Structure formats: structure tokens, C-alpha cells
Amino acid sequence: MASKPVSNRNAVGENRYHGKPITEIITNGFFTVDQRWTVQYWNKAAEALLGVSAGDIIGKNLWEEFAGALPIDFYAVYHNAFIQDIPAHFEEYWGKMGAWFDVITYHCDDTLSVSFRSRNHPAHSGRLQQRFKMLNELYKFVTEITNDCLWEWDLRTRELFWIDGGHKRVFGYQIVNALIPQSFWENHLHPDDKVRILNRLKDILSAGSDRTWEDEYRFQRADGGYAFVHDRAHIIYDVDGVACRMVGATQDITVRKSAELKLLESEKQLVRERLTRQQAMIHAALVAQENERSEIGKELHDNLNQVLGAAKLYIEMAKTDDENREMCLEKSSGFIVNVIEEIRKISKTLSTPGMIMGLAESIKILIDDLITVDALKIEFQEEGINEEDLDDKLQLTIFRIVQEQLNNILKHANATRAAINLTKQGNDIVLLISDNGDGCNILKEGRGVGILNIRSRAELYHGIVTTVSNPGEGYALKVVLRLKDRT
């Protein structure tokens, strides 16, 4: 991962840090060796635990320096660690040291990292021991409170140090206070996130002006599954203004992210359902329109056409029958008047009411027209309605719903009585239409063209449509329409 000096060093001057790497202040012994078992790194804790200074061991062969001192089992475990890419954890008793050792090994990029601690060896004493103890407790408290996985990243050696077991607890990797190669972290990024994360991190470090790096991505657990994580880090620059280290924390946000994804999926499902409902309503409107045209065509052909044919016949008879001419003309005139009246009724049904006389009056006229041709008794009541609060489109919507439902009652209900109640309740207009007819199965009726047409009209005002019915027990339709807020 490339990084470059910044042109303005003062921008990062406050962010420079000259403290020791975390591997130098932890109580775990830590060292790395290459494939020839040549020691590459040896920390202070390793010096204290094993009694060998870094200057005496770095660059030398581990087994030659400890010939005859290390148990043979140690060599077997270390040798096997070089041929596997997963962390290994084991416990062994070292007789010469008189202590049991907890050991974690990890191999990557031809280097073996070893983290170890003695159960009963006093690694340090006095003030230094107390300092290490306080640091360990601090890391422990931080991880317990935040459930974060703490880490330090050496950008020059491309190695990360996973601190105090957070990654073991959260992701299941047997790595505690141990170095891992940067490639290990990269290889466990989710393939769909990897390029984005690496490119953004590279840009931030190359710019050399940011103090922090923060991002969200998916990281592979030891069991092969992926966790959603939130990573945050403090970027440390050297005296030349080049990013050299990062200290950060990784937090598992899988629960939160899963909830967000579920919410997003629920929202998408609602959108899909709304689109499906709108498509059904559009289809219902088109079907209703075609049915309406079919009814008009049938009425014109089967009724009015026949009446006009009869009128024409009487006019032709009047031309030749002097004795019955007056009677024929009267008959033909009467037929023509009937046709005119029928056309007026059809036109009135299809045309948009002017609402000049108001919503309530228009509903009363509609009722009067219906009861002249049908034995159905219809009662209409309104309460608390101020028509000045209703715009023309809302009044027309209510009128069309009443018209649609009364038409459904006349065609299908076999009812003798119907009631229409129009009231204002708070900021809602409530329309209730009921009848004493045959009723129906609501589950089947809910897919009918008539009710879908009513729902489509109510949807324009975010209305709520509910129906109550059982076979033989009548039918009730309730529509609640929300008035627009005038404030």
C-alpha cells in the first residue's frame, strides 16, 4: 500500500507519534522467524520470559540458539505451522523453564509469527510490571465495554497486530496479541467490498492529510461466514509526514446491519405491493370502462335502436295512411321523446357533475333519478360537512364512489333498502354505504371490478376502504378520506 510525503507537513505535525509499537509494551512474548528459522523480530517481553536479549537472537537460527533446551514437541508444532494458513494454538510444558506456555502461531508470506505467555513466570517486576498490568486491564475493559477488536497496523512492514483477543472472541480466529500479514486481512474482505475498501484506504493514506480512516464492510469469520463491521483508525505520520502506522478498532455491526437490510427489504416489499395494487386498480378501471362502453353499446343497440326503428316505422306509415296519420306521428314523436330521455340519462351518468349545486345536493339528485326506475329505497344523511372544505376533485371522488356503490347494489345486491351516511370526524371525511341485500364472501368480492374501482379512487386521497359482509347478511362499505391540512 503506497504512501507519500505530504506537501504541507504542518497539516500532520500534531498527528506525529514517536511512541513504541504495541508489540513492545504487551506482556506476551512475541517473535517472528523466516522459513530458515532465522529470527526476524524479538520483543521486550520475549527477552524477559526467555532470558535472551533481542540483540543476541535476531539474525540467528532459533533452534541452534535453543539447541537441547526447547522440547521436541515445540519443533513439531512450529514446523507444522509453516505448512498451514490458519492460526494454531497449543499448550506445552517447558521443563527447563519450569513453566507451562500458551502459544499461538500463524504462518503467512514465508514468515511464522509466534505469540506466547508463561503461566507462572514473572515476566517483569516493579513499576514496569505494574504498567503492563494496567495496560492489559485497560485493553480488557475497552473490549468488554465496546466489544471492539483492537489492532495496530504497521504500514511499512504491512503487518497488523491483533490486540487482546478481540478478534478471537468476535470472529473466532485463534489469534491473541499476534502479528498477522496485511494480506491475511485483505484476503478475508468480502469480494464485493474488497476493491472499494482498498482503493479508498490507499487514497486516504496517499493524500497524507487525514487523521482518521473509517469505513464499513464485510469481513470473513473463522467459520466461513461474513460479519458486517465498522472499522475506525487513527493514522500516525512520521517526521516526514508519511503515514507509517494506524491504531484502530473493529466493531461487529452485523445485528444492526441485518436490521437495516430487513427494513430496506420491507420497504421494497411495500413498494412492490403498492405497484401491484396500482396495476390492479388500473386494470379494474380499464375493465370498468370497457364494461361501461359495452353496456352503453348494448343499450343503444337493444333498446334505443329498437325504439328508433319503431319511430321510423310509424313515420313511414304516416306518409301513406291519411286516416291514421295523426296517430302515427304521435306514436313516433313519443318514441323519439323516450329516446331523448334515455340518452339524457346515459349522458348524465357518464358526464362529470358540475357540483354547482354542491356534493350533498348532487347525491340527492342521483338518488331521485334511481328511485324513479327502481323500487330500492335509499336514505341519505350528512353531518358536520362544510363543502367549502372540500375541493372540487374530492367532491367528485366522493360522488363517483357513491355512484359506483349504488350501481353495485342495484346490479348485484337484490336489496330493498340502502343507506348513505356522510360525516366529518376530525380531519377525516367518512362515507358509509350499507344495504340489506344478499351480501357476499368478502374474500371473493375483494377482487371484483367494482370494489377495485372504488379503492383506486380512494387511493388518490390516501383513503382507507373497508368492507363488512356475509352471505345473506347485507353489505357495508366504509371509506375514510383525509382532508388536506390547510395550516
Side-chain angles (χ1 to χ4, degrees):
M1 185 171 299
S3 59
K4 62 182 181 181
V6 296
S7 57
N8 183 7
R9 293 185 181 179
N10 291 331
V12 296
E14 297 179 359
N15 208 31
R16 295 169 186 160
Y17 176 73
H18 305 287
K20 297 180 180 180
I22 193 67
T23 52
E24 288 299 311
I25 60 175
I26 61 170
T27 58
N28 284 51
F30 185 82
F31 65 86
T32 60
V33 295
D34 62 16
Q35 284 193 318
R36 294 185 179 87
W37 301 102
T38 301
V39 177
Q40 306 292 315
Y41 177 78
W42 193 271
N43 75 347
K44 294 292 184 183
E47 290 182 340
L49 288 169
L50 301 181
V52 178
S53 68
D56 292 337
I57 191 70
I58 291 177
K60 298 180 180 179
N61 185 281
L62 177 69
W63 305 116
E64 290 178 358
E65 293 301 309
F66 285 93
L70 280 174
I72 191 64
D73 290 342
F74 275 43
Y75 179 84
V77 173
Y78 288 180
H79 179 76
N80 290 334
F82 256 120
I83 60 176
Q84 58 185 356
D85 290 330
I86 59 175
H89 173 257
F90 68 96
E91 296 178 348
E92 284 291 343
Y93 181 75
W94 191 348
K96 182 176 180 180
M97 301 296 295
W100 282 89
F101 281 81
D102 261 339
V103 184
I104 296 173
T105 63
Y106 179 74
H107 162 250
C108 189
D109 294 342
D110 298 330
T111 300
L112 183 70
S113 298
V114 180
S115 174
F116 64 95
R117 63 186 178 92
S118 171
R119 294 184 184 178
N120 53 359
H121 191 289
H124 305 279
S125 60
R127 186 177 301 174
L128 186 60
Q129 181 182 15
Q130 183 65 22
R131 181 185 176 195
F132 287 149
K133 181 179 179 182
M134 290 175 62
L135 284 172
N136 278 349
E137 289 179 350
L138 174 63
Y139 289 133
K140 179 181 179 182
F141 291 152
V142 169
T143 55
E144 286 179 351
I145 294 172
T146 65
N147 199 32
D148 285 357
C149 306
L150 306 180
W151 51 265
E152 182 184 47
W153 191 337
D154 189 326
L155 299 172
R156 289 169 172 166
T157 63
R158 299 171 61 88
E159 292 175 320
L160 291 93
F161 191 85
W162 282 359
I163 305 169
D164 204 46
H167 295 81
K168 175 182 178 181
R169 181 176 61 257
V170 175
F171 303 113
Y173 293 107
Q174 296 295 324
I175 303 176
V176 180
N177 291 328
L179 277 177
I180 65 163
Q182 179 178 314
S183 58
F184 177 87
W185 174 76
E186 292 181 357
N187 291 336
H188 288 75
L189 296 174
H190 193 282
D192 294 340
D193 298 336
K194 185 174 182 178
V195 173
R196 172 181 63 84
I197 294 297
L198 294 181
N199 285 344
R200 184 170 181 271
L201 181 57
K202 178 182 178 181
D203 291 341
I204 290 175
L205 296 177
S206 298
S209 57
D210 291 319
R211 295 187 176 188
T212 59
W213 167 67
E214 186 169 2
D215 218 326
E216 292 185 359
Y217 56 91
R218 286 163 289 182
F219 189 74
Q220 191 174 34
R221 300 188 184 96
D223 62 8
Y226 282 90
F228 286 95
V229 301
H230 184 183
D231 230 343
R232 295 167 295 178
H234 183 80
I235 304 173
I236 299 171
Y237 296 85
D238 62 16
V239 293
D240 295 321
V242 179
C244 59
R245 288 163 57 198
M246 290 199 299
V247 178
T250 304
Q251 186 178 46
D252 185 354
I253 59 170
T254 302
V255 174
R256 190 200 81 193
K257 205 69 177 180
S258 298
E260 291 176 356
L261 292 175
K262 287 181 180 178
L263 178 60
L264 180 61
E265 181 58 33
S266 297
E267 292 174 352
K268 290 181 179 179
Q269 181 63 26
L270 288 176
V271 171
R272 288 194 293 266
E273 290 175 356
R274 179 172 293 178
L275 289 175
T276 300
R277 186 166 64 252
Q278 289 176 347
Q279 291 172 352
M281 290 177 177
I282 293 172
H283 175 72
L286 293 174
V287 171
Q289 187 181 60
E290 291 301 319
N291 290 342
E292 197 170 50
R293 289 176 177 176
S294 178
E295 289 291 330
I296 294 171
K298 184 178 180 181
E299 179 69 17
L300 292 174
H301 181 272
D302 295 347
N303 188 14
L304 300 186
N305 193 46
Q306 301 299 323
V307 175
L308 288 173
K312 181 177 181 295
L313 179 61
Y314 276 104
I315 290 173
E316 293 296 330
M317 291 175 59
K319 290 179 181 180
T320 59
D321 190 344
D322 295 337
E323 181 178 351
N324 296 310
R325 179 173 297 161
E326 290 297 327
M327 182 274 294
C328 290
L329 290 176
E330 287 180 7
K331 285 281 189 182
S332 63
S333 178
F335 286 141
I336 291 173
V337 170
N338 290 336
V339 169
I340 291 172
E341 182 64 22
E342 289 298 321
I343 292 175
R344 185 189 71 81
K345 291 180 180 180
I346 294 174
S347 176
K348 189 174 181 181
T349 301
L350 294 177
S351 64
T352 301
M355 294 299 171
I356 298 176
M357 303 179 68
L359 173 60
E361 193 63 29
S362 297
I363 293 176
K364 291 176 183 178
I365 293 173
L366 172 64
I367 293 172
D368 290 340
D369 288 343
L370 291 176
I371 62 177
T372 59
V373 295
D374 195 278
L376 178 67
K377 294 181 179 180
I378 306 174
E379 295 180 359
F380 172 57
Q381 292 182 344
E382 64 164 324
E383 182 179 351
I385 299 295
N386 183 358
E387 295 187 2
E388 293 182 358
D389 294 336
L390 313 181
D391 59 48
D392 291 343
K393 291 184 178 180
L394 178 55
Q395 291 190 44
L396 179 58
T397 296
I398 296 172
F399 179 83
R400 287 303 191 197
I401 291 174
V402 172
Q403 189 180 44
E404 181 77 38
Q405 184 60 12
L406 289 180
N407 186 54
N408 291 338
I409 293 172
L410 291 173
K411 285 185 176 181
H412 309 297
N414 294 320
T416 59
R417 294 191 309 275
I420 304 171
N421 291 277
L422 184 64
T423 61
K424 182 182 179 184
Q425 299 177 9
N427 200 41
D428 295 333
I429 298 297
V430 180
L431 174 64
L432 179 63
I433 304 175
S434 59
D435 66 74
N436 66 342
D438 295 339
C440 67
N441 185 326
I442 290 294
L443 296 178
K444 294 182 179 179
E445 184 273 344
R447 297 189 293 270
V449 172
I451 189 64
L452 287 177
N453 205 17
I454 290 173
R455 291 184 189 278
S456 66
R457 294 183 186 279
E459 183 79 13
L460 297 175
Y461 287 85
H462 305 287
I464 300 174
V465 178
T466 55
T467 56
V468 178
S469 183
N470 283 306
E473 299 180 6
Y475 187 96
L477 169 76
K478 182 179 180 181
V479 181
V480 180
L481 303 170
R482 176 58 56 91
L483 289 174
K484 293 182 178 179
D485 191 354
R486 296 195 172 198
T487 59

